[in-house]
Amino acid sequence: MIHTPDLIISILYILLIFIIGLWVGLRHKYKTRNNNNVAGEYFLAGKKLRWPMIGLALFATNISCVHLVSLAQSGFDTGLLNGDFEWMAAFTLILLALFFAPFYIRSGVATLPDFLEKRYDRASRDWLAFVSVVSAIIIHIAFSLLAGGIVLHTLFGVNLYSSVIAIAIITTIYTIVGGLTAVVVTESIQTIVLLLGAIVMSVAAYHKMGGWQPMVNVLQHTGQLNKLSMLRPSGDASGMPWYAVFLGYPILGIWYWCADQTIVQRVLGAKDENNARIGPLFCGFIKILPVFIFVMPGLFAYTLAQSGHLDISALKTIEAGKVVINSKGIYTLMITQLIPTGLIGVLVAALLSGLMSQISGALNSIATLVSYDIYKRYKPQAKDTSLVTVGKIAAGVSLIVSLALLPLLNNYESIFNGLNDIIAHIAPPITCVFLLGVFWDKASAVSAKYTLWVGSAVGVVVFIVSKVYPNTFIGSIPFMMMAFYLFCVCFIIQVSLSYLFPVEHTTESVRLYWKSPWEPLRGKAWSGFGNYKFLSVLLILLMAVLFWIFR
């Protein structure tokens, strides 16, 4: 339980974000009241976003309570291993900046399903719209609410559902009122608060341990030096050897960063192509931080517990006669034991920042998808005001569905692994049709449609079999490798069907694939350090050095 000053800080922060979100949204609505593009202003901020705001908003939408809580948990359980998800993201953000963002901006689409229709056909658009709404509800909202509920329950002693419902309603109000403009402005603020809070925790854990070397000494003494390794050998007990990271992550990452509406919507609202390129690259550089400020504190918590400097008895339970540590609560335990009064309020504000930014971003993307890709399909003459109204209703319904899913998702032992396990079965067909659509001129509409349908069906079946029969061959395959195998199946399906049913390009689709791998690098670029080619090379070199150091 936390003290009154920290409670006051937390409440004031929630009220501040609520007021800012409402003020920005209402102000933007007033300024654009005579604009004929009401829907564009609401869903895409009038396509006026610049790269700093895009980069910060991308990071804020990605980093939620899930990351603060579950990356600390993974740091405690397996060390730096899950930091691979953070650093590998830099490479997929480079793909977004170089190869995907230019097409999204040039085609003038409001949603990624809209892009699929221009490149393939209506059937592909419909399926992606449905999957995108479902994935946003489960992955971006429900898991975030679960992580936030666990934290608020541990710190304040309030009911898990009561706390997340209150926070979710507050976030939903300013998101529904203000649209993407309110979302991006509040996300930018929340990113800064979240980073400051995470840095406070990292410094506190480092100081309590007495530095890096004492931590290494404890790992050496307990025979756990492999917790410092991010690239594990074949047969590692984690199920994530180095080749699984490099084969499996791109399948998850390309879907998440390049083809998921909730994430890419910030890029779709870019002022121009260069801002759309630099924003993701800026986010790529920020993604270096989570390993040090989200995962590393969990590793320090492990060594602090081993050396008697952190009391984890509250996390211990007896199951089948054995002592089991429920590490889901490790981050909140660190907050109460390592952080002084006053600063705890800052940490709680950081956690709430992650929760609120994730929910707001997902709700806005759901509103956009339902309005443009579903409602407008059946009401093509619908006015912009009707689209906005339908989007607001969809956001509210999605929140209710997300809350209903919490008991089911709480069954996962690790929130972070549970989230990625689901993504691994959703992503392969979507990643396949986007990759082949952008890089291969022969990818046909028929092949994309059946790849999405069959690939998604296979993913669902495999997911169910692995959970119902965990001791079978399918159940024993780690989710990262499962993502790669499912992608290979989808790749074979789409390539085969593209030759059986050759592509028939339209005037639009013929402009939406690269004629050569070098073509995207010929686009106009800013000079100096703002050149997207220079920044891409710099980011690649930096990530290579970091992976080598922590190999």
Side-chain angles (χ1 to χ4, degrees):
M1 298 292 288
I2 65 174
H3 298 92
T4 303
D6 299 303
L7 181 60
I8 292 171
I9 291 172
S10 305
I11 293 172
L12 287 176
Y13 176 76
I14 295 172
L15 290 175
L16 178 64
I17 289 296
F18 179 68
I19 292 168
I20 291 173
L22 274 182
W23 178 75
V24 169
L26 292 172
R27 180 170 174 266
H28 183 73
K29 186 177 180 179
Y30 177 78
K31 287 172 65 178
T32 59
R33 65 191 185 282
N34 297 320
N35 194 319
N36 293 325
N37 186 25
V38 175
E41 291 288 347
Y42 181 82
F43 294 118
L44 296 176
K47 296 203 171 188
K48 297 172 185 174
L49 300 180
R50 297 179 181 274
W51 67 265
M53 202 166 280
I54 293 171
L56 289 172
L58 280 170
F59 184 79
T61 304
N62 164 237
I63 297 296
S64 67
C65 239
V66 172
H67 287 72
L68 282 172
V69 173
S70 60
L71 283 179
Q73 178 191 4
S74 70
F76 184 89
D77 293 338
T78 60
L80 301 184
L81 182 63
N82 278 349
D84 286 323
F85 288 92
E86 303 306 304
W87 284 357
M88 286 294 289
F91 298 109
T92 47
L93 282 162
I94 291 170
L95 287 178
L96 173 60
L98 295 184
F99 300 106
F100 289 94
F103 279 149
Y104 296 157
I105 299 302
R106 292 175 194 176
S107 60
V109 297
T111 67
L112 296 185
D114 188 10
F115 173 79
L116 271 200
E117 181 178 17
K118 292 178 184 294
R119 175 59 182 88
Y120 292 119
D121 62 5
R122 183 77 216 198
S124 297
R125 175 179 185 165
D126 290 343
W127 187 252
L128 183 62
F130 170 74
V131 173
S132 297
V133 170
V134 171
S135 63
I137 290 172
I138 298 173
I139 292 166
H140 295 293
I141 303 178
F143 268 112
S144 293
L145 288 172
L146 175 61
I150 291 170
V151 170
L152 294 172
H153 173 69
T154 307
L155 290 176
F156 298 103
V158 294
N159 179 270
L160 185 148
Y161 296 100
S162 301
S163 59
V164 296
I165 287 172
I167 298 296
I169 288 174
I170 290 171
T171 308
T172 303
I173 290 172
Y174 76 71
T175 303
I176 288 177
V177 171
L180 186 61
T181 301
V183 169
V184 170
V185 171
T186 52
E187 281 181 343
S188 299
I189 297 169
Q190 288 163 327
T191 301
I192 296 168
V193 174
L194 188 148
L195 290 175
L196 286 174
I199 290 169
V200 167
M201 175 60 80
S202 301
V203 171
Y206 182 88
H207 177 72
K208 184 73 173 180
M209 190 68 239
W212 180 265
Q213 194 55 47
M215 183 264 287
V216 174
N217 292 341
V218 172
L219 292 176
Q220 218 162 13
H221 179 72
T222 57
Q224 295 291 331
L225 264 181
N226 68 321
K227 284 182 178 285
L228 289 174
S229 172
M230 294 180 67
L231 299 177
R232 305 286 175 85
S234 177
D236 188 74
S238 66
M240 270 180 58
W242 65 270
Y243 59 83
V245 172
F246 290 112
L247 291 176
Y249 179 81
I251 312 306
L252 281 63
I254 291 172
W255 168 75
Y256 186 88
W257 289 105
C258 304
D260 178 34
Q261 180 70 24
T262 300
I263 296 295
V264 181
Q265 187 152 341
R266 286 103 197 87
V267 177
L268 299 180
K271 182 182 178 183
D272 53 42
E273 194 172 302
N274 269 303
N275 278 287
R277 287 180 184 268
I278 303 300
L281 293 174
F282 177 44
C283 180
F285 284 101
I286 304 176
K287 287 292 285 180
I288 293 171
L289 295 177
V291 170
F292 300 107
I293 62 176
F294 297 156
V295 184
M296 198 76 78
L299 180 57
F300 272 108
Y302 172 81
T303 55
L304 285 169
Q306 292 292 317
S307 56
H309 293 100
L310 186 71
D311 181 12
I312 60 170
S313 58
L315 303 179
K316 293 179 179 179
T317 56
I318 305 295
E319 293 183 12
K322 291 184 178 180
V323 177
V324 177
I325 298 174
N326 181 12
S327 55
K328 280 182 185 177
I330 192 65
Y331 199 79
T332 48
L333 200 70
M334 292 168 69
I335 289 175
T336 55
Q337 293 190 32
L338 301 181
I339 307 298
T341 300
L343 280 180
I344 290 180
V346 176
L347 262 295
V348 175
L351 287 164
L352 294 175
S353 290
L355 174 60
M356 295 168 76
S357 64
Q358 184 86 341
I359 294 171
S360 64
L363 289 175
N364 186 252
S365 72
I366 290 170
T368 309
L369 286 163
V370 171
S371 297
Y372 278 108
D373 295 300
I374 298 175
Y375 182 72
K376 201 171 183 179
R377 164 80 184 273
Y378 299 100
K379 298 279 188 179
Q381 304 304 319
K383 295 180 180 179
D384 277 17
T385 50
S386 298
L387 292 176
V388 172
T389 301
V390 169
K392 290 177 178 180
I393 294 171
V397 173
S398 298
L399 179 67
I400 295 170
V401 175
S402 300
L403 290 169
L405 290 172
L406 294 186
L408 181 65
L409 299 181
N410 199 25
N411 290 326
Y412 274 106
E413 186 177 335
S414 166
I415 298 174
F416 194 75
N417 286 345
L419 185 149
N420 283 295
D421 184 26
I422 292 174
I423 293 176
H425 295 82
I426 292 175
I430 301 173
T431 295
C432 184
V433 297
F434 269 85
L435 272 180
L436 290 179
V438 168
F439 289 104
W440 191 41
D441 63 329
K442 291 185 174 62
S444 68
V446 173
S447 72
K449 176 174 64 179
Y450 283 107
T451 299
L452 288 171
W453 290 353
V454 176
S456 297
V458 171
V460 169
V461 170
V462 167
F463 180 80
I464 293 172
V465 169
S466 65
K467 297 297 171 285
V468 177
Y469 305 104
N471 297 322
T472 59
F473 172 72
I474 290 178
S476 64
I477 299 174
F479 67 85
M480 291 284 272
M481 288 307 299
M482 181 59 76
F484 176 70
Y485 296 145
L486 289 173
F487 173 80
C488 290
V489 170
C490 294
F491 184 86
I492 292 169
I493 291 171
Q494 187 166 10
V495 171
S496 301
L497 290 178
S498 291
Y499 282 110
L500 286 173
F501 303 95
V503 65
E504 295 178 8
H505 279 297
T506 63
T507 53
E508 280 186 322
S509 69
V510 77
R511 297 184 295 108
L512 295 179
Y513 63 85
W514 296 113
K515 308 303 183 289
S516 78
W518 307 110
E519 189 181 354
L521 301 180
R522 300 189 187 116
K524 288 184 179 179
W526 293 334
S527 58
F529 290 109
N531 186 298
Y532 65 83
K533 289 176 272 192
F534 168 77
L535 289 173
S536 298
V537 171
L538 179 62
L539 185 54
I540 289 171
L541 291 175
L542 187 57
M543 298 317 302
V545 170
L546 286 170
F547 268 115
W548 176 259
I549 292 172
F550 289 95
R551 65 189 184 279

